Amino acid sequence: MEFSKGVRKKLRRIIEKGLQREYAIGLEKAESVIRDWRQKAPDDHRDHYLLLFKTIRDFDKHIARRYDIMRGSTYVFIVMQQLDDGVISLDDLEELPEEVRNLIVNFRG
């Protein structure tokens, strides 16, 4: 799909908004692991360390799969994925032209 430079720029802004929200989600997951570690105060910290490492690694893989191969032709699909995951909302699509919004909303179901 080819979009104008202006539409691609708007899609990138939406993607960046969603990416920032995803970073926050990842940090909240890591914080949850650390909070659990502090509450339990175990003698052996290894399990919590490994869980924290796994949590961050798995979330990093998710981020990489979604955003590492970002090209103008994939912007709309990334926005669809973000919308499906609830990272962005329909309100975030308001700046897009109506036909692009409809494409995103109708294509995803």
Side-chain angles (χ1 to χ4, degrees), residues 17-31:
K17 222 185 270 189
L19 178 58
Q20 290 302 316
R21 290 174 185 160
E22 292 219 56
Y23 285 142
I25 291 167
L27 290 168
E28 288 169 3
K29 288 180 178 186
E31 181 182 37

PDB file of all heavy atoms in Angstrom, residues 17-31:
ATOM      1  N   LYS A  17       3.584   6.948  19.383  1.00  0.00           N
ATOM      2  CA  LYS A  17       2.732   7.054  20.574  1.00  0.00           C
ATOM      3  C   LYS A  17       2.492   5.662  21.164  1.00  0.00           C
ATOM      4  O   LYS A  17       2.623   5.450  22.366  1.00  0.00           O
ATOM      5  CB  LYS A  17       1.383   7.663  20.174  1.00  0.00           C
ATOM      6  CG  LYS A  17       0.831   8.677  21.118  1.00  0.00           C
ATOM      7  CD  LYS A  17      -0.559   9.117  20.698  1.00  0.00           C
ATOM      8  CE  LYS A  17      -0.523  10.296  19.765  1.00  0.00           C
ATOM      9  NZ  LYS A  17      -1.858  10.858  19.509  1.00  0.00           N
ATOM     10  N   GLY A  18       2.166   4.716  20.298  1.00  0.00           N
ATOM     11  CA  GLY A  18       1.935   3.347  20.745  1.00  0.00           C
ATOM     12  C   GLY A  18       3.200   2.699  21.285  1.00  0.00           C
ATOM     13  O   GLY A  18       3.167   1.975  22.280  1.00  0.00           O
ATOM     14  N   LEU A  19       4.326   2.967  20.642  1.00  0.00           N
ATOM     15  CA  LEU A  19       5.594   2.402  21.091  1.00  0.00           C
ATOM     16  C   LEU A  19       5.937   2.904  22.487  1.00  0.00           C
ATOM     17  O   LEU A  19       6.371   2.131  23.350  1.00  0.00           O
ATOM     18  CB  LEU A  19       6.711   2.746  20.107  1.00  0.00           C
ATOM     19  CG  LEU A  19       8.109   2.260  20.456  1.00  0.00           C
ATOM     20  CD1 LEU A  19       8.149   0.744  20.632  1.00  0.00           C
ATOM     21  CD2 LEU A  19       9.102   2.700  19.380  1.00  0.00           C
ATOM     22  N   GLN A  20       5.731   4.183  22.736  1.00  0.00           N
ATOM     23  CA  GLN A  20       5.984   4.721  24.066  1.00  0.00           C
ATOM     24  C   GLN A  20       5.088   4.043  25.107  1.00  0.00           C
ATOM     25  O   GLN A  20       5.529   3.742  26.215  1.00  0.00           O
ATOM     26  CB  GLN A  20       5.778   6.243  24.082  1.00  0.00           C
ATOM     27  CG  GLN A  20       6.842   7.005  23.329  1.00  0.00           C
ATOM     28  CD  GLN A  20       8.236   6.748  23.854  1.00  0.00           C
ATOM     29  OE1 GLN A  20       8.472   6.726  25.055  1.00  0.00           O
ATOM     30  NE2 GLN A  20       9.169   6.532  22.940  1.00  0.00           N
ATOM     31  N   ARG A  21       3.849   3.786  24.739  1.00  0.00           N
ATOM     32  CA  ARG A  21       2.937   3.087  25.653  1.00  0.00           C
ATOM     33  C   ARG A  21       3.397   1.654  25.879  1.00  0.00           C
ATOM     34  O   ARG A  21       3.284   1.116  26.982  1.00  0.00           O
ATOM     35  CB  ARG A  21       1.520   3.124  25.099  1.00  0.00           C
ATOM     36  CG  ARG A  21       0.920   4.521  25.142  1.00  0.00           C
ATOM     37  CD  ARG A  21      -0.427   4.566  24.467  1.00  0.00           C
ATOM     38  NE  ARG A  21      -0.921   5.939  24.409  1.00  0.00           N
ATOM     39  CZ  ARG A  21      -1.850   6.348  23.578  1.00  0.00           C
ATOM     40  NH1 ARG A  21      -2.420   5.490  22.730  1.00  0.00           N
ATOM     41  NH2 ARG A  21      -2.249   7.609  23.566  1.00  0.00           N
ATOM     42  N   GLU A  22       3.933   1.028  24.829  1.00  0.00           N
ATOM     43  CA  GLU A  22       4.438  -0.344  24.984  1.00  0.00           C
ATOM     44  C   GLU A  22       5.653  -0.377  25.913  1.00  0.00           C
ATOM     45  O   GLU A  22       5.788  -1.287  26.718  1.00  0.00           O
ATOM     46  CB  GLU A  22       4.791  -0.944  23.619  1.00  0.00           C
ATOM     47  CG  GLU A  22       3.563  -1.176  22.767  1.00  0.00           C
ATOM     48  CD  GLU A  22       3.608  -2.455  21.979  1.00  0.00           C
ATOM     49  OE1 GLU A  22       3.785  -3.525  22.597  1.00  0.00           O
ATOM     50  OE2 GLU A  22       3.446  -2.380  20.752  1.00  0.00           O
ATOM     51  N   TYR A  23       6.531   0.611  25.796  1.00  0.00           N
ATOM     52  CA  TYR A  23       7.665   0.683  26.720  1.00  0.00           C
ATOM     53  C   TYR A  23       7.165   0.772  28.161  1.00  0.00           C
ATOM     54  O   TYR A  23       7.705   0.125  29.060  1.00  0.00           O
ATOM     55  CB  TYR A  23       8.549   1.892  26.419  1.00  0.00           C
ATOM     56  CG  TYR A  23       9.426   1.751  25.190  1.00  0.00           C
ATOM     57  CD1 TYR A  23       9.651   2.848  24.358  1.00  0.00           C
ATOM     58  CD2 TYR A  23      10.045   0.558  24.864  1.00  0.00           C
ATOM     59  CE1 TYR A  23      10.465   2.749  23.239  1.00  0.00           C
ATOM     60  CE2 TYR A  23      10.850   0.443  23.749  1.00  0.00           C
ATOM     61  CZ  TYR A  23      11.058   1.553  22.941  1.00  0.00           C
ATOM     62  OH  TYR A  23      11.864   1.445  21.842  1.00  0.00           O
ATOM     63  N   ALA A  24       6.135   1.572  28.370  1.00  0.00           N
ATOM     64  CA  ALA A  24       5.577   1.709  29.721  1.00  0.00           C
ATOM     65  C   ALA A  24       5.024   0.377  30.214  1.00  0.00           C
ATOM     66  O   ALA A  24       5.209   0.013  31.381  1.00  0.00           O
ATOM     67  CB  ALA A  24       4.491   2.782  29.746  1.00  0.00           C
ATOM     68  N   ILE A  25       4.370  -0.367  29.336  1.00  0.00           N
ATOM     69  CA  ILE A  25       3.839  -1.682  29.702  1.00  0.00           C
ATOM     70  C   ILE A  25       4.983  -2.610  30.107  1.00  0.00           C
ATOM     71  O   ILE A  25       4.909  -3.326  31.107  1.00  0.00           O
ATOM     72  CB  ILE A  25       3.025  -2.289  28.535  1.00  0.00           C
ATOM     73  CG1 ILE A  25       1.732  -1.495  28.335  1.00  0.00           C
ATOM     74  CG2 ILE A  25       2.738  -3.768  28.775  1.00  0.00           C
ATOM     75  CD1 ILE A  25       1.006  -1.807  27.029  1.00  0.00           C
ATOM     76  N   GLY A  26       6.073  -2.605  29.328  1.00  0.00           N
ATOM     77  CA  GLY A  26       7.229  -3.434  29.651  1.00  0.00           C
ATOM     78  C   GLY A  26       7.841  -3.069  30.994  1.00  0.00           C
ATOM     79  O   GLY A  26       8.203  -3.942  31.784  1.00  0.00           O
ATOM     80  N   LEU A  27       7.942  -1.786  31.257  1.00  0.00           N
ATOM     81  CA  LEU A  27       8.476  -1.337  32.542  1.00  0.00           C
ATOM     82  C   LEU A  27       7.562  -1.728  33.699  1.00  0.00           C
ATOM     83  O   LEU A  27       8.038  -2.105  34.782  1.00  0.00           O
ATOM     84  CB  LEU A  27       8.702   0.174  32.523  1.00  0.00           C
ATOM     85  CG  LEU A  27       9.845   0.647  31.624  1.00  0.00           C
ATOM     86  CD1 LEU A  27       9.798   2.159  31.456  1.00  0.00           C
ATOM     87  CD2 LEU A  27      11.182   0.193  32.181  1.00  0.00           C
ATOM     88  N   GLU A  28       6.260  -1.661  33.476  1.00  0.00           N
ATOM     89  CA  GLU A  28       5.316  -2.076  34.520  1.00  0.00           C
ATOM     90  C   GLU A  28       5.441  -3.564  34.816  1.00  0.00           C
ATOM     91  O   GLU A  28       5.364  -3.979  35.980  1.00  0.00           O
ATOM     92  CB  GLU A  28       3.891  -1.720  34.112  1.00  0.00           C
ATOM     93  CG  GLU A  28       3.612  -0.236  34.182  1.00  0.00           C
ATOM     94  CD  GLU A  28       2.296   0.166  33.540  1.00  0.00           C
ATOM     95  OE1 GLU A  28       1.551  -0.720  33.070  1.00  0.00           O
ATOM     96  OE2 GLU A  28       2.019   1.378  33.514  1.00  0.00           O
ATOM     97  N   LYS A  29       5.655  -4.368  33.774  1.00  0.00           N
ATOM     98  CA  LYS A  29       5.853  -5.804  33.990  1.00  0.00           C
ATOM     99  C   LYS A  29       7.117  -6.060  34.799  1.00  0.00           C
ATOM    100  O   LYS A  29       7.118  -6.889  35.718  1.00  0.00           O
ATOM    101  CB  LYS A  29       5.917  -6.546  32.652  1.00  0.00           C
ATOM    102  CG  LYS A  29       4.579  -6.638  31.946  1.00  0.00           C
ATOM    103  CD  LYS A  29       4.709  -7.392  30.637  1.00  0.00           C
ATOM    104  CE  LYS A  29       3.343  -7.517  29.966  1.00  0.00           C
ATOM    105  NZ  LYS A  29       3.389  -8.365  28.774  1.00  0.00           N
ATOM    106  N   ALA A  30       8.188  -5.358  34.457  1.00  0.00           N
ATOM    107  CA  ALA A  30       9.437  -5.513  35.200  1.00  0.00           C
ATOM    108  C   ALA A  30       9.264  -5.038  36.640  1.00  0.00           C
ATOM    109  O   ALA A  30       9.742  -5.688  37.580  1.00  0.00           O
ATOM    110  CB  ALA A  30      10.562  -4.736  34.512  1.00  0.00           C
ATOM    111  N   GLU A  31       8.559  -3.934  36.810  1.00  0.00           N
ATOM    112  CA  GLU A  31       8.319  -3.411  38.156  1.00  0.00           C
ATOM    113  C   GLU A  31       7.530  -4.404  39.000  1.00  0.00           C
ATOM    114  O   GLU A  31       7.785  -4.570  40.188  1.00  0.00           O
ATOM    115  CB  GLU A  31       7.568  -2.088  38.085  1.00  0.00           C
ATOM    116  CG  GLU A  31       7.293  -1.477  39.441  1.00  0.00           C
ATOM    117  CD  GLU A  31       6.494  -0.195  39.349  1.00  0.00           C
ATOM    118  OE1 GLU A  31       5.603  -0.108  38.490  1.00  0.00           O
ATOM    119  OE2 GLU A  31       6.771   0.708  40.160  1.00  0.00           O
TER     120      GLU A  31
END
